[in-house]
Amino acid sequence: MSISSEHKPLGKQVTGNLHTLSPIVELNVGGEMYTTTLSTLKKHPGSKLAEMFTGQPKLRTDSEGRFFIDRPGTYFKYILEYLRSNQVPTQCIQDVYKEALFYNIEPLIKQLEDSPQIFGELVARKQFLAHVPSYSENIELMIRIARAEAVASRRSSVIVCVVRTEEDAAKCQDALNSLDMDKKSVVKFGPWKAAPSIFDLLDCIQMDVEAKGYKISFQPHAAEKGFRFKSHDYFYKFLFTWW
């Protein structure tokens, strides 16, 4: 019995051996169409991309018979250009790096990690933040507090205490005990043993919260007059703007 065109499957699993395929391959990567060769896709034998096109394939095809890869198609052109000509991309570095990791193209991964963008993020900033206790958890705590205070408001604020040394941490606790605020709503960062300064950390906090889609700014938080420490040495107000 024949299958009418309106009930034709959108895709099917490829069961044949890829050695019998044409050396010209058509791809559908996340909706973007590409044409290349098997030898290009298999240029780096240890890569996941090469494995997709070696032996018994596990790829599916779209309704036009093109091999389908469920990844962002926009950045695959940079992957393909590297496979064709060894050209390392200079655009969309962070996104291409993610795709290179997914396809496990080790030479491209290593070259991208040498780029200023990836080197600065992985070797410098991430290594610094690894020295800041509970950094990621505190970012999430800040967001939860800000969202809880956002009801019927255009803005909400979160008070952050930033201390670089154990001595500063003790002073911060004294300051916290004297400040007129709910201590549970103050998010504490530090201390840490690394070169970057308090303002470097504040910039990191802003970058990582903004990377989650929030619009924020920060400023020193001044305590009441007569306070025996300069509270702005430790306390900062992060302002979330919702609309």
Side-chain angles (χ1 to χ4, degrees), residues 125 128-129 132 135 138-139 142 160-162 187-189 198-211 216 218 236 238 240:
R125 201 176 81 91
F128 159 52
L129 295 178
V132 182
Y135 176 80
N138 284 339
I139 292 291
M142 284 179 63
V160 167
C161 174
V162 183
V187 182
K188 178 186 173 185
F189 287 85
I198 284 176
F199 283 101
D200 292 326
L201 180 63
L202 292 169
D203 285 340
C204 287
I205 294 171
Q206 182 171 5
M207 288 171 59
D208 289 329
V209 174
E210 287 181 339
I216 66 166
F218 68 86
Y236 297 84
F238 278 81
F240 286 70

Side-chain angles (χ1 to χ4, degrees), residues 129-183:
L129 295 178
H131 289 81
V132 182
S134 304
Y135 176 80
S136 297
E137 293 84 347
N138 284 339
I139 292 291
E140 296 299 329
L141 178 57
M142 284 179 63
I143 293 172
R144 288 199 299 271
I145 293 173
R147 291 175 69 94
E149 296 181 358
V151 179
S153 300
R154 184 174 184 181
R155 298 180 179 87
S156 56
S157 61
V158 178
I159 304 301
V160 167
C161 174
V162 183
V163 292
R164 187 173 177 181
T165 66
E166 294 290 350
E167 181 181 359
D168 288 341
K171 292 180 180 179
C172 176
Q173 189 59 48
D174 289 342
L176 188 59
N177 292 334
S178 301
L179 287 174
D180 184 19
M181 63 176 70
D182 182 359
K183 298 178 182 58

